[in-house]
Each structure stands twice: as structure tokens, then as C-alpha cells.
Amino acid sequence: MGLALKLLVSSAFMMSLALAVSLITNFAGVFPGELLTAPVRSNLTILLLAIMMTISLSRIPSKNLSPANNPKALVRGLVIGLLISSLIPIVGYLLLKDTEYSKYAAGLVFIAATPFAASVAPLSFILRGDMEHAVRSTIYVYIAALLWIPLIVYLLLGEAVNMKDLMITVIEVIGVPLIVSRFLTRLEIDKRVMAVLLNCIIFFLVWLSVSSTSFDGGIWIMLAFMMIVGLRTFGLGNAVEIIEKRAGIGWSQRVTDILMVSYKNKGIAIALCVATMGPLVPFAMVAIASSIVIEICWVVFMDSVLFSRKRMRRELEKEGSEIGDL
């Protein structure tokens, strides 16, 4: 595999590059706002995210998805993937909503409402996590998100958001992909082709949103939001690791639980924000842009430290699990 292809299939690299290019475009003032107006950005974001979600969810097979197979694991996935992962952004928003930073804090609501990334299932496979738990939880968490997202946004933002537009966006980026993806599960897609396609879509979505974000409040505002989302990502992720390991829970379940509690679907957060916040989008996007920065760092940390090959081998050998070609 050539260097260029290796970089294109690397999610961490493509997200890092997207963020760097986006910030350069933003601070240099060269974003083509006259061409890529707010409505155009909104429609492009929703379309591309719907395509990305359909492809991602299509890799989850339709078999063994019955909630009766392991109801405790399903409940755990719903609680970890929606409730616990959303607590810190919600608290952050409540602390800031009546301050001068209220228009920026709205972005935390969309982070809170967003389910974990659909890539949790393939990442669980790569990291020797509990694939059955990851697959079943992904499908049911995304089904639950059809109601969870409108509920959280309505309770926290109320009339500041057009709920009709929100519901339409949720159906477009989650409901439709959930249905269409079931017809594509048997379609063969080369893993490298899929990774390049998804990474390129993510690159464009990050550039489209962050390039138009308003950082007029200064770098300190972004740093403040980075602390909040850092606590949500690094804090929760490592807390689950420590608690579950001390409880004697094995590697496979810990890996999947950590991914579900820490790795949010930033594309959905972006789509919800740009589709519903109107003139406040450039401000609300600051929190989401901060989340992208932190999650890039989190991906690197997971790959090099938390779920490193050396640590994985040691843990699996201790548990007496199959090592294979690890």
C-alpha cells in the first residue's frame, strides 16, 4: 500500500488534516461564503452525512440483532451510548446558558444529543472488542436516537430551534440510512475503498463546518469548550476503563463500552447544528469544532496507549484468549 493510500485510509490523519485546512481557511478569510451559503452548507451536510451513515450502517449484518439475545448488554449499550455519554455536555450547557457564552454553548446540546459513531462496530472488530454487543447496540441506539435527539434538543433549547426542521433532519440522517442500509448489507465493498470514501466525506464535512465557524470570541472560548469535551471524552473513557477493569470485566466488553461512551458521531452533531441554528450556526459550531480537536487526540491516545497492540496482547494473554495474528 502506497503512502498516499495509507494516509487516505487513516481516520486520525484525515481528521487532523481536515481540521488544519479548516482553521487555515477560516483565519485566512478565504472561505467562499458567497458560494457556499448557509442553506447550501446545510443541504450538502445532510446529503453527505446520509450517504456516509448508509454506507457505515450497511456493514452491520441483519442477523443476530434480536434484543432478546442479550437484553442486559442492550440496556448497557443504551445507557452508556446515550445517557452517560451525554451528561457532561448537558451540565456544561446548563452552566453556560445564562452567561455571555450562551450562543456558543448551544453547540454542547447537539453533542449531547448525538449517539456514538457508527464506526464503533468496525473499531470493536479491529481492537478485539465485543462485536455482537457493538453491532446490536449500534442499531438500537440509532433507533432510540430518533426520539432521543428531539427530546434532548427540545428540553434544553426549546423554541430556539425549529423542531420541525430538526425532526426532518433526524429522519434524513438517521431514519432513512437505517432503512436503506438493510438492503445493502450483502453488497461487497472493499474495505480500503470504503475507508477512503468515508474519510473524504468526513474531511469535506469538517472543512465545510469549521471553516465557517466564528472564533471572534478568541482562542480562550475554544479552549474552554475543549476542556468540557475533553472531560467528556478522556474523562469518561478512562473512567469506564478503570471502573470496569477493577470490576473484573474482560478486554472485549471494556473496549466496546469505552468506544460507545467516548466516541461521538460528530457528523450528526454538525448536521443538526447547521440545519436548525440559523444565524447562530457559526457560534454554536465552536463547541463542535472543539470536540473534533479533542476526539482526534482521543483517537491517537486510544491507538497508541489505551488500546495499543502491546497492551492488547498482554491483556488477552492474561485472560487466556486467542491471540491469533495479533
Side-chain angles (χ1 to χ4, degrees):
M1 188 188 300
L3 177 60
L5 184 55
K6 285 183 178 179
L7 295 177
L8 285 171
V9 299
S10 170
S11 296
F13 171 79
M14 291 296 285
M15 286 177 61
S16 301
L17 181 62
L19 184 64
V21 173
S22 301
L23 292 175
I24 292 172
T25 304
N26 187 305
F27 290 111
V30 295
F31 181 74
E34 301 81 6
L35 176 64
L36 297 174
T37 60
V40 172
R41 295 199 303 272
S42 176
N43 291 333
L44 273 175
T45 299
I46 292 170
L47 174 63
L48 290 174
L49 181 61
I51 293 172
M52 185 174 75
M53 287 294 298
T54 300
I55 295 172
S56 298
L57 292 172
S58 73
R59 299 306 88 193
I60 296 177
S62 298
K63 61 181 180 180
N64 298 325
L65 292 180
S66 172
N69 287 348
N70 195 337
K72 290 184 178 179
L74 179 58
V75 171
R76 187 175 75 246
L78 289 168
V79 171
I80 290 177
L82 287 179
L83 181 59
I84 295 177
S85 66
S86 301
L87 291 177
I88 292 175
I90 290 175
V91 172
Y93 171 74
L94 293 176
L95 291 174
L96 295 172
K97 70 182 183 71
D98 295 321
T99 70
E100 59 184 307
Y101 306 115
S102 59
K103 60 184 179 181
Y104 297 97
L108 292 172
V109 176
F110 297 110
I111 295 174
T114 299
F116 56 76
S119 58
V120 161
L123 283 174
S124 289
F125 174 77
I126 294 170
L127 298 170
R128 303 294 180 92
D130 187 339
M131 265 297 289
E132 186 175 312
H133 173 38
V135 166
R136 190 181 299 112
S137 294
T138 298
I139 291 297
Y140 285 100
V141 163
Y142 274 81
I143 291 173
L146 294 171
L147 296 177
W148 172 262
I149 292 173
L151 175 64
I152 293 299
V153 174
Y154 177 74
L155 289 176
L156 297 178
L157 295 180
E159 296 180 357
V161 171
N162 185 315
M163 291 305 296
K164 179 181 178 181
D165 289 344
L166 181 78
M167 288 297 298
I168 292 173
T169 303
V170 169
I171 292 172
E172 289 174 334
V173 300
I174 297 180
V176 173
L178 273 171
I179 295 172
V180 175
S181 66
R182 297 304 85 201
F183 297 98
L184 302 177
T185 55
R186 294 186 179 181
L187 178 65
E188 293 292 333
I189 303 177
D190 183 84
K191 291 182 179 179
R192 287 182 295 181
V193 172
M194 185 175 69
V196 171
L197 176 60
L198 295 180
N199 283 339
C200 287
I201 291 176
I202 292 173
F203 180 98
F204 185 75
L205 288 178
V206 171
W207 176 80
L208 193 65
S209 55
V210 176
S211 294
S212 57
T213 298
S214 175
F215 296 105
D216 293 341
I219 192 65
W220 296 110
I221 292 179
M222 189 170 184
L223 290 175
F225 282 107
M226 286 174 67
M227 290 178 62
I228 295 173
V229 296
L231 186 61
R232 193 209 68 77
T233 303
F234 279 85
L236 276 180
N238 283 294
V240 170
E241 159 68 13
I242 293 170
I243 292 170
E244 291 196 351
K245 187 171 184 179
R246 288 182 176 177
I249 295 174
W251 173 271
S252 64
Q253 181 181 315
R254 291 205 321 271
V255 165
T256 301
D257 285 349
I258 290 168
L259 288 171
M260 289 194 295
V261 81
S262 65
Y263 200 29
K264 285 280 192 178
N265 191 319
K266 296 161 291 296
I268 291 179
I270 291 171
L272 295 174
C273 182
V274 300
T276 62
M277 291 302 291
L280 292 180
V281 169
F283 303 100
M285 272 300 305
V286 170
I288 300 174
S290 302
S291 180
I292 294 171
V293 175
I294 293 299
E295 290 206 9
I296 290 172
C297 298
W298 176 242
V299 169
V300 173
F301 175 78
M302 286 193 295
D303 184 59
S304 60
V305 180
L306 194 60
F307 301 142
S308 68
R309 294 287 175 181
K310 182 178 179 180
R311 185 167 185 262
M312 188 191 306
R313 177 182 291 275
R314 185 173 66 248
E315 293 259 355
L316 292 175
E317 287 178 342
K318 185 177 181 181
E319 294 175 7
S321 301
E322 290 286 339
I323 302 298
D325 58 354
L326 180 62

